[in-house]
Amino acid sequence: MSELWLKYTDIDGAEKRVRVDSAKFVVGRHSSSDLCIVDSRLSREHLKIERSRDLYIATDCGSSNGTKINDVVLDSPVTLKDGDALDLGGLKIQTELEASSAPADQTPDAAAPIEAAPIIAVPANAAAYSEPQGSVLPTSIFFIAPILGLLVLSMLAGLIYFTSGTTTAEVATNESQYADDPDDPPAKKKTVKESDPSPTASKTSTANNATTGGTNAATDLPPAPPADSEAAKVEQNGTAFLRKAAQNDAKAFLTGEQAKKVGSRIKQLSSNSALAANISSARQNSSQITSLAKSTNLQPAFLAAAAITKLGSSRGDVAKTAQSMAGTLDKLRTQIGSELAEDTLLMIAAYDQGEAGDFLKLRNMLQDLSNKFPDSSRSIRTIWFLQQNGKITQSEFDTAVTFLAIGTISQNPKAFGVNAEALSF
């Protein structure tokens, strides 16, 4: 038998060597993975290695950043060889295939004589002995089986006819809009009778709840605000900012309930005379902020809003402020992630912890909560859930909401009474 070993360097620079010791071996960021590597470039389940005798077959699990083997994109299962270079979204892993010695009692004895197979005499009337009499199926079974099949089909048709009066429409729950995200488990679904209030009309609002851990049922959602209302402006611009702040979250939404909290903070911020100046400073230094974002694997919209949040009511150089924050934010990104919009809010909530040198506190708490609460990990990994359950301080929550409010304003400042041009990168 052969053994496969994976070699890589962890975030602390230590060399690691791990044996693939199960028939189905998963490499990913999630703690349930066989090889858990805390690196935001990895999806929660990134790569699967399946063993078949002496073969090890690698398959990408639909990861966000993809997998390469020897610089070739892994888009179909590939048998691993000794010395293959795996690239998991930027994380390098080297394979080592070693032959393990077979147990002594399984090693063939080369000196042992080979016995000839016994010769069995076949009687002349061999046809009569071709099959034991007891194993022959009765001929009648070939007539009875089709009749039984028709009866079963008739019963099923009748059942469908009598129950067709109530049709169902599947309405996605909290996790359904992320069904294409490989990091999450299969989406759970529920059915709603046609007599329920317009599940189709509530589809957008249901999707909005996916990042909140809020109301699940479409029938419990309030109607969408008028398109020209203050709440609609907050939802529209807040959603646009969330999608720009995250590395890969095209389905991020700001829900109505969240928009109320963000809208309240926007009213407080819009009277801050320094806000317009800081947004203008970010516009003037957009190229510097973009360059800094690339070097830290963060989004420029995220860095700019984080720097403006830190400046508060003071006017300052947003690019320099972002530069001073980049090291802490990059380390928090490694532990918490920046792939999803909610991850960016968690990073801001944990910024003071990071500045104090504690980059693992929030990550460890989130892992612990995932084991204690029945909610999905996506619902738990939000500032809204953590604040509702008293797991973050009010100050941490307020900082994250202020960050979100500033990001929302920066999309269209004049719509919120701030005399500045929209911030774009």
Side-chain angles (χ1 to χ4, degrees):
M1 296 292 288
S2 61
E3 291 183 346
L4 178 66
W5 294 80
L6 305 178
K7 293 199 322 180
Y8 68 98
T9 304
D10 66 14
I11 59 174
D12 297 321
E15 296 288 338
K16 299 288 185 181
R17 188 171 183 266
V18 179
R19 183 168 65 91
V20 176
D21 57 1
S22 60
K24 180 181 176 182
F25 190 90
V26 175
V27 181
R29 198 179 74 233
H30 197 275
S31 57
S32 63
S33 300
D34 298 285
L35 174 54
C36 174
I37 305 176
V38 183
D39 190 317
S40 62
R41 293 173 294 182
L42 270 65
S43 294
R44 295 185 183 180
E45 290 189 357
H46 198 109
L47 180 74
K48 177 177 64 177
I49 300 175
E50 295 178 287
R51 180 171 185 165
S52 176
R53 293 184 178 272
D54 276 358
L55 299 180
Y56 292 87
I57 302 168
T59 308
D60 183 84
C61 298
S63 62
S64 299
N65 294 328
T67 301
K68 292 181 180 179
I69 177 169
N70 301 325
D71 294 325
V72 177
V73 175
L74 181 62
D75 53 10
S76 60
V78 170
T79 300
L80 295 174
K81 305 183 301 298
D82 181 49
D84 280 338
L86 295 172
D87 183 339
L88 278 60
L91 176 71
K92 310 294 185 181
I93 296 180
Q94 194 80 16
T95 66
E96 285 187 0
L97 201 59
E98 296 182 350
S100 61
S101 57
D105 58 353
Q106 294 181 9
T107 304
D109 186 356
I114 300 175
E115 291 187 8
I119 299 175
I120 302 174
V122 180
N125 58 342
Y129 297 91
S130 60
E131 185 173 347
Q133 185 66 27
S135 66
V136 179
L137 292 173
T139 306
S140 59
I141 191 66
F142 297 103
F143 298 97
I144 296 174
I147 296 173
L148 289 175
L150 287 173
L151 287 174
V152 172
L153 289 174
S154 299
M155 292 172 64
L156 287 174
L159 181 62
I160 293 172
Y161 174 80
F162 286 111
T163 59
S164 61
T166 303
T167 61
T168 61
E170 290 189 345
V171 178
T173 60
N174 271 2
E175 298 175 337
S176 62
Q177 75 157 339
Y178 296 100
D180 58 349
D181 187 338
D183 296 354
D184 285 325
K188 300 176 183 177
K189 294 187 178 181
K190 62 180 291 184
T191 56
V192 179
K193 292 183 180 179
E194 282 187 344
S195 58
D196 290 347
S198 185
T200 304
S202 301
K203 182 178 180 182
T204 301
S205 297
T206 303
N208 287 356
N209 274 286
T211 59
T212 70
T215 305
N216 292 337
T219 55
D220 293 337
L221 295 172
D228 58 349
S229 69
E230 195 69 23
K233 284 193 297 184
V234 175
E235 285 189 32
Q236 178 183 356
N237 290 284
T239 294
F241 170 69
L242 286 172
R243 295 180 181 184
K244 293 176 183 178
Q247 291 284 8
N248 182 25
D249 197 355
K251 295 181 179 180
F253 277 93
L254 186 65
T255 68
E257 190 61 33
Q258 293 173 358
K260 289 180 182 179
K261 296 179 180 179
V262 176
S264 176
R265 190 60 49 85
I266 287 174
K267 290 179 181 178
Q268 299 170 10
L269 294 170
S270 58
S271 60
N272 179 1
S273 60
L275 180 58
N278 290 334
I279 291 176
S280 297
S281 172
R283 279 176 51 82
Q284 293 168 8
N285 298 284
S286 61
S287 60
Q288 296 178 41
I289 296 172
T290 300
S291 177
L292 177 63
K294 288 181 179 178
S295 67
T296 54
N297 291 312
L298 295 169
Q299 295 291 356
F302 168 80
L303 274 178
I308 296 172
T309 301
K310 186 173 184 180
L311 286 169
S313 58
S314 303
R315 300 185 183 206
D317 187 325
V318 174
K320 286 184 178 179
T321 304
Q323 179 70 56
S324 70
M325 301 175 70
T328 297
L329 290 172
D330 189 29
K331 290 179 181 178
L332 286 170
R333 175 195 61 80
T334 302
Q335 301 301 328
I336 298 172
S338 61
E339 187 176 357
L340 303 179
E342 284 295 343
D343 294 340
T344 65
L345 299 180
L346 290 171
M347 288 170 62
I348 296 299
Y351 182 77
D352 285 345
Q353 296 175 15
E355 273 203 318
D358 193 346
F359 299 100
L360 299 177
K361 182 177 179 180
L362 182 60
R363 188 205 74 174
N364 293 341
M365 181 183 70
L366 291 171
Q367 290 180 346
D368 183 58
L369 292 176
S370 296
N371 296 327
K372 292 181 178 179
F373 282 83
D375 308 67
S376 70
S377 60
R378 191 177 295 278
S379 296
I380 290 171
R381 290 176 59 88
T382 71
I383 60 167
W384 319 101
F385 178 93
L386 298 180
Q387 190 264 348
Q388 183 180 0
N389 289 276
K391 300 301 180 181
I392 56 176
T393 67
Q394 188 62 42
S395 174
E396 291 168 340
F397 178 75
D398 288 343
T399 300
V401 173
T402 298
F403 162 81
L404 182 49
I406 288 172
T408 301
I409 293 171
S410 70
Q411 303 306 298
N412 190 0
K414 292 180 179 178
F416 298 102
V418 177
N419 188 24
E421 297 300 321
L423 182 56
S424 60
F425 295 93

